[in-house]
């Protein structure tokens, strides 16, 4: 049983405004859960900027009260802890899942009136733990904190991280690790996998879930004549836009299972994720993705595959006639590649300073990418170098193929009818100086895990907070590793 260590006054001062709308859905979609008691919770990092956005005053909590709160030892007034049920296609195979190491406290209402999920990740076992301990280790929780905040600064929809606290207890994997709990904030945790679970129960449960998701994420569709079809179209559009944004910064999710596809269009689950250095569409970092299913270049195809699984769940709601329902869903699904291409092409035009559209822009962009792959050019630094107006000295930019492409690009910029300085200024707003380089992330996590030293983590977070700003002190974060071909990421379970 959890032992309270913070006063009600403390929690009232924080400013929580809790509701529990998900817990009013059919009981089959969740199970009651309670965070486990832990020995000695201690704050590792608090996200005061996010707290301010949520209307929360974390400064009102003494350190020990904050640690108890974010370790699940005390609960905000009005919260109702549950573990959500869901299913998922994992590497193409279907399985029944659920929150095996996460507990949803409920929805906090922001000052703007927006409900956001407050979830603890790693607080102990739930009904869905399937033999696991329900705990999390410090390294993976700090990784999620770092990457999700970096994605926010890059302008990519994502879940957020409000806090990481250590528990004072070990978790046992291949070796003992320091236990930790992360507090995750999300528009919601409704996933494609949630719909896969509901669809295998009964139609009333599926309809209740769909109506809930529409009310939460697409309220304007509530009274639409074909609201479930339009809902599918909206989710498809959000996923096309999201994955295009991943591609534009070289982000590799690593585990695009259907249980990691949020209906809200946010990036969720930062287990084996990483950022690409040398450009190669076949780049894979995940230790378990042996066949490259979730490689960088395959992410758009997988997004469409996942949306097909989502479409299958919605068929009973689209039309009573199965053939008609399939036809309706297929029409939306078949439009995904074009939707993705539009988002990706618009983003790539900005990365190259182009403010008008020409039919051959796609060829210009892919010619650059082909050269980058052949020369193993760094994805992030190449676009940032182009943004400078004057290329830095370097043998790679003397390559005849690059010089030929560069002349084509300069001619294309000239046809835009704007000053070159304007094009370069646009490019610097979309081509980051800094991304979470894998070796810098590992450096910060190792210092925190092995030496209880968070200084490298805080320096990294400060660098990632303004990714488009060029500063002399950021130089070390721009340099790619000599070779990360053997670098591997892990799910962190």
């Amino acid at each position: 049983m959890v032992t309270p260590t913070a006063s009600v006054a403390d929690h009232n001062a924080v400013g929580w405004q809790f509701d529990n709308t998900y817990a009013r859905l059919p009981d089959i979609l969740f199970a009651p859960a309670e965070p486990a008691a832990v020995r000695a919770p201690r704050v590792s990092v608090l996200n005061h900027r996010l707290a301010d956005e949520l209307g929360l005053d974390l400064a009102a909590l003494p350190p020990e009260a904050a640690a108890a709160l974010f370790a699940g030892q005390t609960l905000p007034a009005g919260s109702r802890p549950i573990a959500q049920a869901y299913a998922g296609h994992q590497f193409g195979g279907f399985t029944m899942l659920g929150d095996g190491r996460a507990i949803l406290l409920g929805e906090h209402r922001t000052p703007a009136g927006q409900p956001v999920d407050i979830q603890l990740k790693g607080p102990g076992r739930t009904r869905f733990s399937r033999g696991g301990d329900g705990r999390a280790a410090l390294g993976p929780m700090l990784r999620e904190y770092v990457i999700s905040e970096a994605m926010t600064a890059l302008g990519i929809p994502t879940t957020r991280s409000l806090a990481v606290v250590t528990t004072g207890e070990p978790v046992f994997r291949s070796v003992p690790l320091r236990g930790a709990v992360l507090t995750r904030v999300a528009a919601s945790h409704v996933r494609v996998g949630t719909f896969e679970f509901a669809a295998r129960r009964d139609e009333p449960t599926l309809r209740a879930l769909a109506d809930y998701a529409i009310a939460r994420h697409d309220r304007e569709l509530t009274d639409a004549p074909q609201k479930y079809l339009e809902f599918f179209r909206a989710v498809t559009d959000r996923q096309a836009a999201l994955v295009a944004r991943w591609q534009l910064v070289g982000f590799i999710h690593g585990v695009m299972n259907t249980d990691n596809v949020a209906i809200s269009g946010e990036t969720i689950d930062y287990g084996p994720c990483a950022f690409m250095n040398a450009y190669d569409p076949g780049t894979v970092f995940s230790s378990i993705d042996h066949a490259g299913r979730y490689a960088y270049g395959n992410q758009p195809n997988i997004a469409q595959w996942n949306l097909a699984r989502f479409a299958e769940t919605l068929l009973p709601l689209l039309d009573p006639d199965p053939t008609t329902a399939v036809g309706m869903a297929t029409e939306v699904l078949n439009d995904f590649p074009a939707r993705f291409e539009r988002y990706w092409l618009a983003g790539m035009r900005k990365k190259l300073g182009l403010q008008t559209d020409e039919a051959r822009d796609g060829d210009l962009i892919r010619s650059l990418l082909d050269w980058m792959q052949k020369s193993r050019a760094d994805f992030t630094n190449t676009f940032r170098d182009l943004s400078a107006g004057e290329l830095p000295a370097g043998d790679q930019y003397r390559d005849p193929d690059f010089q030929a492409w560069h002349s084509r690009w300069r001619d294309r910029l000239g046809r835009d009818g704007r000053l070159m300085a304007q094009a370069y200024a646009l490019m610097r707003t979309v081509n980051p100086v800094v991304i979470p380089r894998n070796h810098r992330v590992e450096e910060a996590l190792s210092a925190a895990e092995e030496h209880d030293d968070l200084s490298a983590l805080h320096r990294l977070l400060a660098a990632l907070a303004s990714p488009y700003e060029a500063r002399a002190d950021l130089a070390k974060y721009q340099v790619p590793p000599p070779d990360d071909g053997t670098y591997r990421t892990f799910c962190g379970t």
Side-chain angles (χ1 to χ4, degrees):
M1 177 67 67
V2 169
T3 302
T5 60
S7 69
V8 172
D10 287 335
H11 288 296
N12 289 341
V14 171
W16 294 113
Q17 299 291 332
F18 261 91
D19 200 352
N20 304 279
T21 61
Y22 195 89
R24 294 196 281 273
L25 285 169
D27 290 351
I28 194 68
L29 292 172
F30 62 90
E34 182 178 353
V38 298
R39 186 180 306 148
R42 182 163 65 93
V43 170
S44 287
V45 59
L46 294 178
N47 193 337
H48 289 280
R49 180 180 299 180
L50 173 58
D52 290 344
E53 294 173 17
L54 297 176
L56 301 176
D57 181 11
L58 298 187
L61 285 177
E64 64 277 8
L69 169 65
F70 293 118
Q73 305 307 283
T74 62
L75 300 175
S79 61
R80 180 183 170 185
I82 60 171
Q84 293 175 304
Y86 51 85
H89 277 85
Q90 299 192 318
F91 288 88
F94 180 79
T95 186
M96 300 299 275
L97 298 163
D99 284 332
R101 58 169 184 150
I103 293 177
L104 178 68
L105 299 184
E107 304 98 39
H108 165 71
R109 194 164 294 276
T110 71
Q114 184 68 30
V116 293
D117 281 4
I118 306 295
Q119 184 197 71
L120 301 180
K121 189 172 179 179
R125 287 179 51 78
T126 75
R127 184 184 297 177
F128 308 110
S129 294
R130 298 182 298 163
D133 60 12
R135 305 297 183 108
L138 177 61
M141 298 304 95
L142 289 177
R143 174 186 289 276
E144 177 156 340
Y145 189 106
V146 168
I147 305 299
S148 63
E149 291 310 295
M151 295 285 272
T152 298
L154 288 166
I156 299 172
T158 178
T159 61
R160 302 285 302 276
S161 298
L162 184 58
V164 176
V165 299
T166 53
T167 62
E169 299 177 351
V171 294
F172 298 95
R173 302 298 182 254
S174 57
V175 296
L177 300 170
R178 296 176 66 192
V181 177
L182 175 135
T183 301
R184 182 158 66 188
V185 179
S188 84
H189 286 84
V190 179
R191 318 147 188 262
V192 168
T194 317
F195 279 83
E196 290 185 292
F197 179 90
R200 284 163 172 78
R201 295 301 172 177
D202 53 61
E203 188 172 323
T205 299
L206 174 64
R207 191 176 298 273
L209 177 64
D211 288 343
Y212 176 84
I214 290 170
R216 185 137 180 200
H217 298 297
D218 297 283
R219 184 174 294 274
E220 70 281 2
L221 300 179
T222 301
D223 297 320
Q226 293 182 312
K227 66 177 181 179
Y228 301 117
L229 178 64
E230 294 308 312
F231 173 54
F232 178 46
R233 197 186 311 276
V235 173
T236 298
D237 187 73
R238 287 195 286 267
Q239 287 299 315
L242 176 66
V243 177
R245 289 178 175 181
W246 291 355
Q247 303 301 96
L248 293 170
V249 297
F251 175 75
I252 303 167
H253 187 281
V255 61
M256 289 178 65
N257 298 329
T258 56
D259 53 294
N260 291 330
V261 180
I263 298 303
S264 65
E266 291 182 328
T267 312
I268 187 171
D269 197 327
Y270 289 97
C273 68
F275 280 75
M276 179 172 60
N277 292 299
Y279 177 75
D280 182 351
T283 301
V284 172
F285 292 115
S286 171
S287 63
I288 58 175
D289 192 3
H290 304 295
R293 177 181 174 86
Y294 300 141
Y296 169 81
N298 206 32
Q299 291 184 140
N301 296 331
I302 290 297
Q304 186 179 25
W305 191 92
N306 288 338
L307 287 166
R309 307 290 77 74
F310 182 44
E312 290 165 355
T313 71
L314 295 177
L315 293 178
L317 307 182
L318 298 182
D319 195 274
D321 177 60
T323 301
T324 302
V326 168
M328 295 164 69
T330 299
E331 181 181 359
V332 175
L333 195 63
N334 286 347
D335 188 45
F336 177 86
R339 284 175 182 264
F340 169 82
E341 181 77 6
R342 286 194 294 271
Y343 284 118
W344 179 83
L345 192 56
M348 275 293 182
R349 284 192 174 105
K350 289 181 180 178
K351 287 176 77 68
L352 291 177
L354 305 176
Q355 300 179 65
T356 61
D357 300 354
E358 284 192 6
R360 296 199 63 189
D361 287 345
D363 178 66
L364 179 71
I365 294 162
R366 290 181 174 88
S367 293
L368 173 62
L369 295 176
D370 289 344
W371 172 82
M372 290 169 64
Q373 182 176 3
K374 182 183 71 174
S375 61
R376 293 199 54 77
D378 185 81
F379 183 82
T380 301
N381 288 346
T382 298
F383 281 103
R384 189 67 192 195
D385 287 348
L386 291 170
S387 307
E390 183 175 342
L391 290 170
D395 291 341
Q396 65 177 349
Y397 296 132
R398 297 194 187 100
D399 177 88
D401 290 342
F402 176 80
Q403 290 291 324
W405 177 87
H406 193 261
S407 294
R408 288 176 58 199
W409 173 57
R410 296 275 297 186
D411 289 344
R412 173 65 180 88
L413 283 173
R415 293 196 299 274
D416 248 8
R418 292 175 173 83
L419 296 174
M420 290 293 187
Q422 293 176 319
Y424 297 139
L426 171 64
M427 293 170 71
R428 289 192 290 272
T429 66
V430 296
N431 291 313
V433 177
V434 177
I435 59 168
R437 298 279 182 182
N438 304 326
H439 61 306
R440 294 303 178 194
V441 174
E442 294 300 331
E443 174 185 73
L445 299 188
S446 295
E449 289 179 296
E450 298 169 15
H451 306 292
D452 201 19
D453 179 2
L454 295 170
S455 59
L457 180 84
H458 287 294
R459 288 193 298 270
L460 178 60
L461 287 169
L464 296 171
S466 302
Y468 302 104
E469 181 181 344
R471 302 197 320 258
D473 61 313
L474 299 181
K476 67 176 286 187
Y477 298 104
Q478 294 177 253
V479 180
D483 178 21
D484 66 350
T486 60
Y487 178 70
R488 292 292 175 267
T489 55
F490 301 88
C491 283
T493 55

